[in-house]
Amino acid sequence: MTSSSRKPLRVVLFDLDGTLIDSTELIVASFDHTYRKLGRVMTLENINADLGMPLRDTLRRYFSGADLERAMQTYIEYNLERHDASVRQMAGVAQLVHRLKEAGLRLGVVTSKLRDTALRGLTLCHLDRPFEVVVAKEDTARHKPESEPLIYALASFEAEGAECAYVGDTPLDVEAARGAGVRAVAALWRPVPAEAFAQWPPDAYAKTPEEAADILESWRTSASDEIEEAM
């Protein structure tokens, strides 16, 4: 372990959908409705494998030209019509966020969603106040699994990658964290099988928000202790 990797954790970034807010069922349903309406057969496994990327990037895999624009409009209309009735608080997440905030950690969100929709979900789940920074699709030219959004967030906090962790529920989150030199925690409370991260293993797996809090707090304190002992 290098000295930089022992730096105390001071910033925690979170993915949004499936990590902070319970919106995955709505997203999957929105994709399923869109594919069916445009005459494309997609399995649930196919849809889940694409979660985490910006909407246009996902739909561009299967549509182009006028069909792509029609797919975008179909998804957005379906999703927004059902958003407030479908998005729910994720059990234990509010306590996780509060605990980290009380421990002195600075918090941010990094999502591939458009800012207005991301803030709408956070507000709906009473999570709009604890986060100092929200990095949304409009903020960077490239998106997860590229690391640019996380690097943008680090700059906003004036932090180094070794001082930061990213919590997310997809392998794309881990891949983005790796590129930014950020520690990654796989959030399995959606739930997501740990096997899904075989190609991009995280630094830690957390089956519950409480377990994530334990891990993140240990990184904050144990790193400090190691540095003091080395001095």
Side-chain angles (χ1 to χ4, degrees):
M1 183 179 291
T2 65
S3 60
S4 62
S5 66
R6 292 197 298 266
K7 285 191 174 182
L9 186 71
R10 68 184 188 91
V11 176
V12 181
L13 304 173
F14 289 88
D15 171 52
L16 180 65
D17 295 302
T19 303
L20 287 177
I21 66 174
D22 189 355
S23 54
T24 305
E25 286 187 14
L26 173 62
I27 293 170
V28 170
S30 300
F31 275 122
D32 183 61
H33 170 78
T34 300
Y35 294 135
R36 289 177 185 275
K37 189 164 184 178
L38 273 74
R40 189 174 192 95
V41 177
M42 295 287 282
T43 66
L44 181 60
E45 184 178 5
N46 294 147
I47 294 173
N48 278 320
D50 287 336
L51 295 181
M53 294 191 301
L55 176 61
R56 184 174 289 273
D57 290 354
T58 300
L59 294 177
R60 192 183 284 123
R61 290 184 167 192
Y62 310 108
F63 305 105
S64 61
D67 283 344
L68 174 59
E69 297 309 316
R70 184 183 169 206
M72 287 284 296
Q73 183 177 358
T74 300
Y75 178 101
I76 291 169
E77 288 179 354
Y78 183 95
N79 186 277
L80 291 181
E81 284 175 2
R82 294 159 178 79
H83 183 276
D84 291 1
S86 301
V87 171
R88 299 180 294 274
Q89 291 181 319
M90 192 76 76
V93 164
Q95 292 86 343
L96 160 64
V97 171
H98 177 74
R99 181 173 159 187
L100 297 180
K101 196 80 172 175
E102 287 291 306
L105 290 162
R106 302 180 69 186
L107 307 180
V109 176
V110 176
T111 177
S112 298
K113 264 188 171 176
L114 292 168
R115 179 172 302 278
D116 285 349
T117 310
L119 293 177
R120 183 173 171 178
L122 286 169
T123 301
L124 188 67
C125 294
H126 308 291
L127 291 172
D128 49 315
R129 293 188 177 183
F131 297 101
E132 297 178 46
V133 172
V134 176
V135 178
K137 183 181 182 298
E138 299 96 321
D139 293 313
T140 60
R142 295 185 296 175
H143 309 283
K144 294 184 295 184
E146 300 294 333
S147 58
E148 190 171 328
L150 289 175
I151 293 171
Y152 184 98
L154 290 174
S156 299
F157 282 106
E158 298 183 342
E160 298 178 18
E163 300 172 306
C164 178
Y166 188 42
V167 183
D169 67 319
T170 75
L172 297 181
D173 298 318
V174 179
E175 185 176 352
R178 288 278 176 264
V182 168
R183 283 171 278 190
V185 177
L188 305 184
W189 51 82
R190 186 161 51 97
V192 184
E195 296 77 34
F197 295 87
Q199 185 176 356
W200 290 99
D203 295 277
Y205 295 92
K207 294 181 180 179
T208 65
E210 182 178 9
E211 189 172 335
D214 290 341
I215 292 165
L216 294 164
E217 286 194 342
S218 74
W219 287 351
R220 182 183 68 85
T221 57
S222 62
S224 301
D225 293 343
E226 289 175 10
I227 290 174
E228 289 176 2
E229 290 174 3
M231 293 177 66

